[in-house]
């Protein structure tokens, strides 16, 4: 709850979390299920769904790092010890590639188009 609220308030991530206000409660439940599963708890969430769920969002490493900052701030407010916060952030790091794949693929395609002279945007 606290993390989601922080993400909605943070100008760096707000647009990703407020796009569909009707689904906020669904997204919160999915986030709880995801984190429960990621940290080893019982959850029906499939970690293999992370990539597909985030592919079209165009999340970059910058956005992922912002989310890690938000997690860290939420953990701190909950009184989580610094060492435990570091451990939690370390658990989140491996999903970076799954969350940022859509952005990475589109950037690579754009780079190749520029190399082939197909991108006229900057001419």
């Amino acid at each position: 709850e606290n993390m989601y609220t922080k993400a909605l308030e943070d100008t760096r991530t707000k647009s990703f979390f407020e796009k569909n206000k009707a689904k906020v409660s669904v997204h919160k439940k999915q986030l709880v299920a995801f984190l429960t599963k990621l940290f080893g708890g019982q959850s029906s969430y499939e970690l293999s769904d992370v990539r597909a769920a985030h592919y079209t969002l165009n999340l970059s490493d910058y956005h992922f790092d912002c989310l890690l900052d938000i997690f860290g701030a939420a953990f701190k407010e909950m009184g989580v010890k610094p060492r435990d916060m570091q451990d939690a952030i370390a658990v989140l790091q491996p999903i970076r590639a799954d969350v940022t794949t859509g952005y990475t693929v589109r950037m690579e395609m754009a780079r190749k188009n520029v190399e082939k002279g197909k991108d006229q945007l900057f001419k």
Side-chain angles (χ1 to χ4, degrees):
E1 184 77 29
N2 189 12
M3 180 272 168
Y4 200 93
T5 300
K6 286 185 175 307
L8 276 170
E9 293 170 351
D10 192 308
T11 57
R12 303 171 300 171
T13 57
K14 182 179 182 174
S15 64
F16 298 107
F17 288 86
E18 71 177 3
K19 284 185 178 177
N20 190 338
K21 292 182 181 178
K23 291 186 177 182
V24 167
S25 63
V26 171
H27 290 151
K28 285 181 180 179
K29 288 177 186 175
Q30 289 173 331
L31 180 62
V32 169
F34 162 71
L35 292 172
T36 300
K37 183 74 160 200
L38 190 65
F39 287 99
Q42 293 292 321
S43 172
S44 60
Y45 192 92
E46 292 295 328
L47 292 177
S48 59
D49 293 341
V50 172
R51 185 175 294 213
H54 294 88
Y55 189 85
T56 60
L57 296 178
N58 215 27
L59 292 161
S60 67
D61 283 316
Y62 169 79
H63 299 113
F64 190 85
D65 290 338
C66 293
L67 290 171
L68 292 180
D69 289 346
I70 291 168
F71 273 106
F75 291 149
K76 188 174 184 178
E77 284 183 11
M78 294 182 331
V80 176
K81 296 175 185 170
R83 178 66 185 145
D84 294 335
M85 285 186 346
Q86 290 173 344
D87 290 345
I89 298 298
V91 170
L92 293 166
Q93 283 290 0
I95 63 156
R96 176 185 293 270
D98 289 330
V99 171
T100 62
T101 293
Y103 174 83
T104 304
V105 167
R106 283 185 283 287
M107 288 300 292
E108 182 61 19
M109 289 170 58
R111 184 188 64 74
K112 287 180 180 177
N113 283 338
V114 168
E115 287 176 357
K116 294 176 183 176
K118 292 182 178 179
D119 189 332
Q120 303 298 314
L121 181 63
F122 297 106
K123 289 191 175 196

